[in-house]
Amino acid sequence: MTLQSTPCVFLVDDDEDDRFLVQQVFKQYNPEFTLKSFFNGQELLNALAVTTRLPKLVLLDLNMPFMGGLEALAFLRKDAKYDTMPIVILTTSDNYADKQRATELKANDFFTKPGAIDELNQLLLKLRHKWLIDQNTTNPV
């Protein structure tokens, strides 16, 4: 399988430690996927503008410099090209208003980042089964 044909997941988070942890756990459970990381919402939009294949999943933090997750989500959902692209919020926020706003903007799911590595393992396994495995079988690449 070449890099171009490898299904991809985008991780958007400004916290280097969080990106590192997610990358390590993600690789363990999803070796068949390429994980591309971005620092903020603007980098995500720039990457999407030039990609030939949409990612299978976007993991989007909320609180980031330059363009936060809610702003990026609002922009993406206004464009029919990204209407069905799964976007899951993965953030440190447990604020009900953030969750409600993400839901209004059509985020596919919302998770508060777990504090322990075993909880992160469980969360990424859940995301794999819900968004990657099931999506791969119903929408083959």
Side-chain angles (χ1 to χ4, degrees):
M1 189 181 292
T2 66
L3 186 58
Q4 272 190 328
S5 67
T6 304
C8 191
V9 173
F10 285 5
L11 170 64
V12 188
D13 196 323
D14 65 318
D15 188 293
E16 188 175 334
D17 292 334
D18 286 348
R19 279 195 320 268
F20 177 79
L21 286 174
V22 169
Q23 287 170 342
Q24 295 309 304
V25 174
F26 186 88
K27 285 180 197 176
Q28 178 182 352
Y29 296 119
N30 303 288
E32 71 276 25
F33 289 89
T34 300
L35 182 69
K36 294 185 181 181
S37 296
F38 304 96
F39 183 74
N40 60 48
Q42 187 59 57
E43 285 187 4
L44 168 66
L45 297 181
N46 293 345
L48 287 170
V50 297
T51 190
T52 56
R53 289 181 56 199
L54 293 180
K56 292 288 185 182
L57 176 66
V58 174
L59 299 174
L60 183 61
D61 189 21
L62 292 184
N63 302 309
M64 299 176 287
F66 308 112
M67 179 185 282
L70 291 175
E71 187 179 356
L73 179 60
F75 182 88
L76 291 170
R77 291 308 194 214
K78 288 179 186 175
D79 189 329
K81 180 178 178 182
Y82 308 114
D83 213 23
T84 61
M85 182 175 66
I87 302 174
V88 173
I89 304 300
L90 183 59
T91 183
T92 56
S93 175
D94 61 359
N95 184 317
Y96 178 76
D98 285 339
K99 185 172 185 173
Q100 185 175 19
R101 183 68 181 135
T103 301
E104 290 169 1
L105 292 171
K106 299 180 186 169
N108 295 90
D109 223 330
F110 187 104
F111 295 98
T112 300
K113 292 176 187 171
I117 192 74
D118 60 328
E119 293 172 349
L120 181 60
N121 284 329
Q122 292 173 359
L123 174 58
L124 289 178
L125 273 173
K126 179 179 181 177
L127 290 173
R128 172 183 169 75
H129 289 288
K130 184 171 184 179
W131 296 107
L132 301 176
I133 299 297
D134 293 342
Q135 294 297 315
N136 261 352
T137 57
T138 57
N139 297 319
V141 177

